[in-house]
Amino acid sequence: MPHYTAPTKDMQYLLHDVLKISDADIPGYDELDRDFTSAVLEEAGKLSVEVLAPLNPVGDEQGCTLENGVVRTPEGFKDAYDQMRAGGWMGLDADPDYGGQGMPYLLHSAVGEMFVSSNMAFNMYQGLTHGAYAAIHAHGSEDQKATYLPKMVEGSWSGTMNLTEPQCGTDLGLIRTKAEPQDDGTYKISGQKIWISAGEHDLTDNIIHLVLAKIPGGPEGVKGISLFIVPKFLVSEDGSLGERNSLSCGGLEKKMGIHGNATCVMNYDGATGYLIGEMHKGMRAMFTMMNEARLGVGLQGYAQGVVAYQNALAFAQDRLQGRAVTGTEAADKPADPIIVHPDVRRNLLHQKSFIEGARAFTFWGASLIDRAHRNGDKEADDLISLMTPVLKGFLTDKGFETTVLAQQTLGGSGFTQEWGLEQFVRDARITMIYEGTNGIQSLDLVGRKLGLNGGKTVMGFFEMIKGYIKENAGHEALNAEFLKPLKKASKDLQQAAMYFMQNGMKNPNNALSGSYDFMHLMGHVCVGFMWAQMAKASYEALENGTSDAEFHQTKLATGRYYMARQLPATSTHLARVEAGADTVMELEAANF
């Protein structure tokens, strides 16, 4: 049976020693002192360890069932969901005007990591609701917000996003779902949507579907798409539930992982829908939800790596095989634990250095969202827009890789169900696919985000790193071990961007064929930047006589590994970028 330990100490370190949130000029951050965040994180950790984690293998083994149009979630999920509702966790960062607690998105992200690590499939039910809440909050009318948000915030109603259809996923301009206008201002929604996470289940009284559809006579392609609120049960004027809407779950997908979450085929047969936002502007409204979902998926990627690493580490400390090449280390045992072997240690440090850097990257990104929303800071909003495809694409690619490395640590045991690692691998795999495949993320990064504000946003990021290196160059150890490798990696990133500027316009394939490597190059630079900031915090703690020297020395050792053994990958990615499109495009399609 796999285990999970909530990494609250690491989270507190990031919040208070690295990000120094109590000193930040973001409204609400001044209330986030150590005692307060500790209380929230400890309670979330307790729920994750005691309630959600034990249900993770249950959900994987039982899955969801569909019978007579009713979807049943795995045993124990309903009770766990009710406990989440009772604790107010679903409205942690939601607007107090609708029953939320109004806490920063950063704290929501920290708590969310623990919920995902302990039970990713379960957390998706409330995760989709949070995204639907955000879209309605940003684009809905006052009546729509008053009707739907309080129930969604308290968790008695859930939400979904309905984009994909059998004939289209990425190219949403091809959707066929229709929205016929009615005399009363509503619309009749007809069509089929597939791969709808949490589309039907038994956890809530109502499900609020956000559905993309086309109003007849509108523009072609994505310019003709509108967004509609389509509730499972219609809502009466007094807020009570009315008759069942004309929609149904037509089937459950049989999937590689996340078995505990219902992935549905949804059929809309003249269902009553309500336009949200402007007509033919549905993509703008949906992207409020999509962008949040992409950040959440990036978190899912590394969070699965966290729990996989914890189990791999425990196995490596306990499993006895062979002797250390430098001499016996466990003389009282028939063999040494495998953690003494250099290759096992390399494997574990690869996992550890990534997940700790990824957590810092995610928390920093969440703080940018808070700064953008709470301060009205456009630069922060632009910067997180630039970072979103990197957070989603890089963290899920490397998060999946981390689960595979963890599985490898266990050898043959990792291939069996008993130890749980194979579930983490299967569950993590979807993160590279949904909410826009990682190939799409790289195209978004290179094709759209690098040119944001005429390139000023990415140039500002380069200057941010340059400024940090210059500001801290006087610290000898920090400079030698962290800043110099970061400087080299950052130059690789700038050189790759310059290659696109010089070669991408005359031949766009030169840019697009290198986009995936650029995304990984930028991801490594971002995580390296995070490690430089963590190193500074730990050096300062040691120099100031911390009572927890071992913790900070461990941080520095882990960071040194990343800078020496992972960050140099930027050189390889740069070489691939500069190789251009010739070798990629040379073969005719028929010759593959």
Side-chain angles (χ1 to χ4, degrees), residues 98 136 140-150 229:
Y98 302 102
I136 296 173
S141 68
E142 292 304 316
D143 284 346
Q144 288 172 339
K145 288 189 280 188
T147 298
Y148 299 106
L149 295 188
I229 296 173

Side-chain angles (χ1 to χ4, degrees), residues 358-408:
R359 178 181 294 123
F361 185 19
T362 301
F363 281 22
W364 176 62
S367 73
L368 289 176
I369 291 176
D370 283 329
R371 182 172 294 281
H373 292 173
R374 292 172 175 248
N375 293 53
D377 189 325
K378 186 178 184 304
E379 288 188 7
D381 194 45
D382 289 340
L383 186 54
I384 190 58
S385 181
L386 171 69
M387 293 297 165
T388 294
V390 185
L391 283 158
K392 195 282 184 184
F394 182 71
L395 296 191
T396 58
D397 274 354
K398 300 298 285 187
F400 174 73
E401 177 185 302
T402 299
T403 64
V404 173
L405 289 171
Q407 183 186 40
Q408 188 73 13

